[in-house]
Amino acid sequence: MPSEKVVLSIVIPVFNEAEMLPRLFQELDRVRAGTLRGHGPLEIVLVDDGSTDASWSLISARCQRDLACIGVKLSRNFGHQLALVAGLETARGDVIVSMDADLQDPPEVISEMLAAHHQGYDVVYATRAARGKESWGKRVSARFFYFAIEKLSGVPIPRNTGDFRLMSRRALAELTKLRESHRFLRGLVPWIGFPQTQIFYDRGDRTGGQTHYPWHKMLRLAVDGIASMSQAPLRLAYAVSLMLFAVFVGYILYVFIKHLVGGAELVPGWTSIMSAITIFGTIQLLLLGLFGEYLGRVYEQVKHRPLYVVQEIRRAAKEGNAATVIASTGQLTPLTLQ
Ligand code: UDP
Ligand code: MG
């Protein structure tokens, strides 16, 4: 491993982005020679999240000749958030920037983020001033989602902010201590605390390839976000069941008293029995579902699985320096080249 200290790490998760990678490399080269020049040694960590196209061969070819490039290949598709975690945990820089591979996060913004960091901020979010040509549905759902998650979790989550952000080494060290398996980094990073700020940029459109966030994945992210940041749904279930219990007890008392004073029938009619059975059955199922959601998380957490599995790491080794081999656990084992 090169012994010189890495000042800036740029972490990029990649999933089937063969079409975008050449342009991404070009843009990165441009900022490296331009605005990022003079910021000290830099590394680029590219995490291939189980791509099925030519992404990995492009990454490994690049990492063969570029000393600043580290390619990490995950053994299958673990999803954007975990690919990001894999990259963040590989990064060695004092300052770590994460961004998407599709150039919707323009690399020129990195130098502005660094400027904000130098003013003493540990976390700098790059927030979209314009969301490009995103669909109306995606815009509205994003707005609602951020509002809901902030109210439910009590953690201020910067709006319109994806995973384009800068973190200091100490912020990242705290983040990597959180080992939960259902991760929602956009909520966990504000949770860490430390001085945080945001800068604004215009988010462009994807110019190649296609989004990997169809509706069902966005919904999954939303559920992960809410359930990992808040126990409010669990408390809601508790509140609803208490309320229903009160109604139920009130009804029994009513029938019982009516029976005592007026001699009315204790057995209510078919309709009321059926509606009670249906309502309670439905609500019990709903609550069971909610408990299942959390129980599933507890189960997964208790298993202590590694969050991701690295299959291969590719980086150019300088002669006489140590190269690295990868054990199946994803741990780096130094191996000195003769
Ligand atoms: N990505 C990933 N694994 C996945 C899905 C996406 O590593 O399972 C990467 C993708 O290559 C891109 C980033 O995550 O660099 C964001 O994905 P995308 O651009 O598809 O999301 P969108 O911008 O549409 O929300
Ligand atoms: Mg994108």
Side-chain angles (χ1 to χ4, degrees):
M1 227 184 280
S3 54
E4 68 179 340
K5 193 142 177 48
V6 178
V7 174
L8 172 66
S9 300
I10 301 177
V11 175
I12 309 176
V14 175
F15 179 54
N16 291 344
E17 302 278 9
E19 199 180 320
M20 288 308 293
L21 283 175
R23 255 182 288 170
L24 174 73
F25 294 150
Q26 222 174 28
E27 279 298 302
L28 286 172
D29 286 342
R30 208 168 56 76
V31 289
R32 272 163 80 181
T35 48
L36 290 185
R37 231 186 131 133
H39 273 290
L42 160 155
E43 72 177 4
I44 296 168
V45 182
L46 294 149
V47 183
D48 177 26
D49 186 18
S51 298
T52 48
D53 65 0
S55 296
W56 177 244
S57 50
L58 288 170
I59 292 172
S60 50
R62 174 78 197 196
C63 293
Q64 289 291 323
R65 56 189 156 79
D66 185 353
L67 278 176
C69 176
I70 302 176
V72 176
K73 181 177 167 62
L74 301 188
S75 56
R76 63 169 171 85
N77 179 247
F78 281 85
H80 179 199
Q81 297 287 294
L82 293 183
L84 202 51
V85 174
L88 292 174
E89 291 181 358
T90 307
R92 295 162 300 159
D94 295 332
V95 178
I96 302 94
V97 171
S98 54
M99 59 179 272
D100 288 355
D102 56 8
L103 290 177
Q104 278 187 295
D105 304 335
E108 302 94 78
V109 180
I110 296 175
S111 60
E112 290 171 46
M113 294 162 105
L114 282 168
H117 169 65
H118 291 315
Q119 285 169 15
Y121 292 102
D122 282 88
V123 179
V124 184
Y125 302 97
T127 299
R128 305 155 194 170
R131 287 183 72 110
K133 265 193 244 110
E134 271 174 352
S135 71
W136 183 83
K138 193 161 179 169
R139 241 177 254 222
V140 170
S141 59
R143 184 171 293 190
F144 172 74
F145 170 64
Y146 281 119
F147 175 80
I149 200 167
E150 194 170 280
K151 284 280 170 278
L152 291 175
S153 69
V155 175
I157 294 177
R159 302 295 156 85
N160 292 333
T161 299
D163 286 300
F164 191 17
R165 75 172 87 75
L166 174 150
M167 267 187 276
S168 66
R169 174 50 62 188
R170 70 170 180 174
L172 181 59
E174 294 305 321
L175 183 72
T176 49
K177 281 186 200 160
L178 311 178
R179 300 311 295 169
E180 55 203 77
S181 40
H182 285 270
R183 278 166 180 253
F184 181 65
L185 290 173
R186 291 167 211 184
L188 295 181
V189 176
W191 181 90
I192 310 169
F194 292 132
Q196 308 202 349
T197 188
Q198 58 192 147
I199 57 164
F200 294 88
Y201 74 101
D202 286 332
R203 187 169 172 86
D205 298 321
R206 213 178 222 285
T207 46
Q210 49 185 312
T211 176
H212 303 101
Y213 269 100
W215 275 100
H216 65 274
K217 272 201 192 175
M218 282 209 326
L219 200 64
R220 194 67 247 168
L221 188 71
V223 172
D224 273 352
I226 289 174
S228 81
M229 297 301 296
S230 151
Q231 292 189 1
L234 201 58
R235 293 205 194 101
L236 179 79
Y238 185 59
V240 169
S241 55
L242 270 183
M243 238 164 58
L244 284 172
F245 183 69
V247 172
F248 186 62
V249 168
Y251 182 67
I252 299 261
L253 278 177
Y254 165 75
V255 174
F256 195 64
I257 290 167
K258 223 178 161 197
H259 173 73
L260 285 182
V261 290
E265 269 183 37
L266 243 188
V267 182
W270 166 255
T271 321
S272 56
I273 289 180
M274 276 316 280
S275 50
I277 290 175
T278 317
I279 291 170
F280 286 115
T282 314
I283 286 169
Q284 275 170 354
L285 279 180
L286 182 84
L287 297 189
L288 270 180
L290 262 174
F291 284 122
E293 185 74 37
Y294 283 90
L295 194 65
R297 271 152 222 276
V298 172
Y299 175 56
E300 227 156 274
Q301 198 66 46
V302 163
K303 282 191 287 193
H304 280 298
R305 283 190 190 166
L307 294 177
Y308 54 86
V309 179
V310 172
Q311 184 176 319
E312 197 178 334
I313 285 201
R314 196 61 70 88
R315 70 161 60 108
K318 276 191 205 154
E319 226 180 315
N321 266 326
T324 47
V325 290
I326 258 312
S328 59
T329 53
Q331 295 296 314
L332 287 174
T333 318
L335 170 83
T336 311
L337 284 183
Q338 293 303 317

